[in-house]
Each structure stands twice: as structure tokens, then as C-alpha cells.
Amino acid sequence: MSESTRIVLELTGPLERAVGRDEVTIPWTGDGRLGDLLLRFCHEYPAAGEWLDGDGGLGRPDAAFPAGFLVIRDSAALPAKLDTPVVAGDRLTLMPLISGG
Amino acid sequence: MSHLESGSSVSPRISADLSDEERETYAWQLDVRDFGEVGQRKLKGASVLVSRVGGLGSAVAYELAAAGIGRLILAHAGNVRPSDLNRQLLMTHDWLGKPRIESAVRRLKELNPRLEIVGVGENLSPSNADRLVGMADCVVDAAPMFQERLAMNDAAQRQGKPVIEAAMFELEASLTVIHPPETASFREWVPEVPAGWKRRFPVVGAVSGTVGCLAAMEAIKLIVGLGKPLKNRLLRIDLRSMRFDTIRLR
């Protein structure tokens, strides 16, 4: 899959553990919304839903950004908004915030 | 006691002077650039709240005690269990079944008998957060539950005090400093308890110890006005690959 037809997601911590992989590739072309990317990710990897879509409402028009969750591009956290733009070729890190002491 | 104005993020009261014994104890760190005797006096005058002295908080409290912090407020409920002992370095085998907070106070006093400790046998909650945060100049959050972190950050934000947010999971850890309005509030990233987080998490004690030492360093930097604290940045640590990244949060 070429860069123009996919987005690569690096997974960390408990999300990596839940999905069983440290990186996944999501087929994607052109521009889109982060919320739609997360939905597609949860659809392809249902174990991620426990972290990203706890109440199953991620697809609703009034859905809130998942609590305690960073999406990182180029070492910067993206705005915690589902309508944040994403584009084919992106390489993003999905980082659930952790609370272990 | 006097009040020291400085470039630090907290303004601890400081004693007028150090004793000869204190100068000898801290001689090696008095030579640190931008630290010196003024920095040591700031530490001596400072109070830090550590929320839970488990794996991570034990390391924080131990390093702060060794560095010569004046007062620690420690909050941790429950009794020492065998399963604590792989990481909770202030708990000892001979204290199994007895209150954790007593073990922590005892161990810290062995290290630094000058240290004033307020040991509270409770975990942070909305009902005690304002009182406990009110006793400290800054706060280190080492609690395993987001409910505690939210309660503590809410109280700290109301009182304008910085929070060092430290956390770990398996071989990963994160660290940042929250101090609104200079930084985003904790609730901007964690408006409610996240889905998925479980009370029991996989942990290697050395990971807790690593991030605990780093969190103690951030507390020292905030108090002394030393270096560049992790405000608006999050240190992400992966000890499986020995990868350390700094993420910009704003």
C-alpha cells in the first residue's frame, strides 16, 4: 500500500496490548476527519473500541473526543477534536493516557 | 521563616539559613549550577504532596527526602501486601499487614530525620483533595486511578498550584507538568475517567522507579527555579526500546 492510500497508526501502552500490535495500517485516500479514522480503526480492530469508543457513540454526530487520549503527529499532540483533519500519508501515534503508579 | 521571590513556579517559605550538618549532607548538590545554597534553602522551605507512595510515589518521596525537601505530605490508604513489594520501595516485608503510610514515614525518617512528614492514611478524593493540596506548594500525582488524579488536579487548579503528572504502564511511562493557565488543565485532556483503564495494571518496579526519579526532579526544578520544567510537553518513555520522546501539548 503506497503512502497516498493509507494512514499508519502507531499504538502505545494499553492500546497496543489490547490490539496485539504496535502499528497498524488503515486504508485511506485524500483528506478526512480524525473521528472517521478512529471509527474505521475501531471497526477493523474491535479490541481498540474499549479504549476509544467505550460507550459505542463515536459515530454519533454529537460524539465527544475520547477522554484521556492523545493523537500525535510529528511529536505534537493534535487538537482533541474529532473534526481534526487527517490526510493520506499521515503517520500518527495513538496514545491512551495511563494512570499506573 | 521568610518568603523567597524567585523565578520558580512555586514560592516556598525558606529557613533563614542551613545548619552546618545540612551543608555537609547536601554538599555535593550545592555545587550544581543554578542550585547552590539558595536552592537548598528553597527545598528546605518547601512542602510537596505525593498522592500515593506506591511504586512511583515511593521513588518520588525517597528522592525528595534525600534532596532535603522540608516537608512531605503523603497520602496512601491501606496495609502493606505481598504484591506491593516488587515496586513499593518504602514498604518492607516486616510491615506486611500494617499501614502502608506508617512504613513510608518510617523509611523516609531513616533516610532524613530532619524531614517533616504529614502521613495521611487516605487516598485522594474530592472530599479531602482541597485540604491536602492546601498543605503543599506543589503536588506529585502518582495515583493509580483517574478518579484520584481528577480530584487532585481540580483542587490544585482551584489553588493555582502545579501538578507533576507521572504515570506508568508495563514498560512505558509518561510525565508532564500541569499548571493552568500556563498549561492546559488536566481536564482538557482527561475530562472524565477514560474508558478501558483498569485498577490493576502490569508493572515492573524499575519502571515506576525510573519515572518516580524523573518526577522528583521536576518537583525540584519547580521549587528551585532550575532548568526547564515539562510544561506543555509530555515526556513519553518506552523502556522496552529505551525510547524517550517529548511530545508538544500546546
Side-chain angles (χ1 to χ4, degrees):
Chain A
M1 208 181 303
S2 72
E3 277 202 6
S4 61
T5 58
R6 55 131 168 95
I7 290 177
V8 175
L9 302 178
E10 180 193 0
L11 313 178
T12 73
L15 188 58
E16 174 187 349
R17 191 178 172 99
V19 173
R21 299 173 61 173
D22 61 5
E23 187 176 294
V24 300
T25 299
I26 304 296
W28 194 270
T29 52
D31 300 330
R33 296 170 65 249
L34 177 58
D36 294 328
L37 175 67
L38 297 179
L39 259 183
R40 196 176 298 182
F41 170 55
C42 290
H43 178 72
E44 295 198 22
Y45 299 93
E50 181 184 10
W51 289 92
L52 293 173
D53 194 15
D55 63 357
L58 194 55
R60 289 197 302 256
D62 62 343
F65 193 84
F69 191 72
L70 298 183
V71 180
I72 301 160
R73 179 199 284 140
D74 296 332
S75 295
L78 297 180
K81 295 177 180 171
L82 293 175
D83 59 4
T84 297
V86 295
V87 62
D90 269 346
R91 184 177 184 87
L92 307 174
T93 300
L94 306 187
M95 179 181 175
L97 293 176
I98 51 181
S99 186
Chain B
M1 302 285 271
S2 62
H3 199 75
L4 190 74
E5 296 299 330
S6 73
S8 60
S9 293
V10 300
S11 299
R13 291 184 296 276
I14 68 165
S15 294
D17 212 347
L18 301 176
S19 68
D20 290 342
E21 191 251 347
E22 287 170 322
R23 283 198 187 86
E24 187 174 350
T25 301
Y26 304 117
W28 288 35
Q29 68 194 38
L30 292 177
D31 290 339
V32 171
R33 183 165 51 90
D34 300 330
F35 187 85
E37 182 152 336
V38 172
Q40 193 64 54
R41 289 165 59 200
K42 288 180 185 177
L43 279 185
K44 184 179 178 181
S47 297
V48 177
L49 167 63
V50 183
S51 171
R52 297 235 200 178
V53 280
L56 202 161
S58 279
V60 173
Y62 207 66
E63 291 291 348
L64 291 177
I69 200 79
R71 187 166 74 150
L72 286 175
I73 300 103
L74 310 176
H76 200 142
N79 296 332
V80 179
R81 297 178 185 168
S83 61
D84 295 341
L85 299 180
N86 78 320
R87 64 196 183 281
Q88 299 190 17
L89 299 182
L90 297 180
M91 313 305 159
T92 53
H93 190 272
D94 66 345
W95 216 258
L96 287 171
K98 300 179 191 172
R100 292 185 178 110
I101 197 68
E102 292 178 10
S103 184
V105 171
R106 182 179 54 113
R107 292 264 289 176
L108 292 167
K109 281 288 197 181
E110 286 172 359
L111 173 65
N112 184 351
R114 296 172 298 278
L115 174 64
E116 182 186 343
I117 305 176
V118 179
V120 180
E122 307 166 13
N123 296 328
L124 252 288
S125 69
S127 65
N128 65 16
D130 277 309
R131 174 172 57 87
L132 295 176
V133 170
M135 298 166 73
D137 298 305
C138 74
V139 174
V140 181
D141 194 355
M145 301 298 291
F146 277 101
Q147 288 88 341
E148 294 167 61
R149 290 179 186 265
L150 286 165
M152 181 141 91
N153 273 276
D154 289 346
Q157 186 173 355
R158 281 192 291 273
Q159 299 183 30
K161 295 181 179 173
V163 177
I164 296 141
E165 273 294 328
M168 56 81 53
F169 177 90
E170 206 187 53
L171 301 191
E172 297 185 22
S174 62
L175 182 67
T176 189
V177 174
I178 304 283
H179 197 190
E182 193 178 346
T183 74
S185 70
F186 188 67
R187 277 198 186 267
E188 286 180 54
W189 295 108
V190 188
E192 58 189 34
V193 174
W197 182 256
K198 304 287 192 302
R199 166 68 184 84
R200 179 168 172 156
F201 51 90
V203 48
V204 173
V207 182
S208 297
T210 300
V211 70
C213 290
L214 294 172
M217 192 66 238
E218 287 301 291
I220 291 168
K221 285 161 61 182
L222 288 173
I223 292 163
V224 173
L226 181 67
K228 187 176 179 186
L230 277 166
K231 293 181 178 177
N232 297 312
R233 297 179 297 150
L234 180 140
L235 177 64
R236 175 182 155 215
I237 301 166
D238 181 355
L239 294 181
R240 195 179 293 276
S241 59
M242 278 297 174
R243 179 175 160 187
F244 288 63
D245 294 328
T246 303
I247 310 299
R248 295 190 304 280
L249 295 178
R250 258 189 187 174

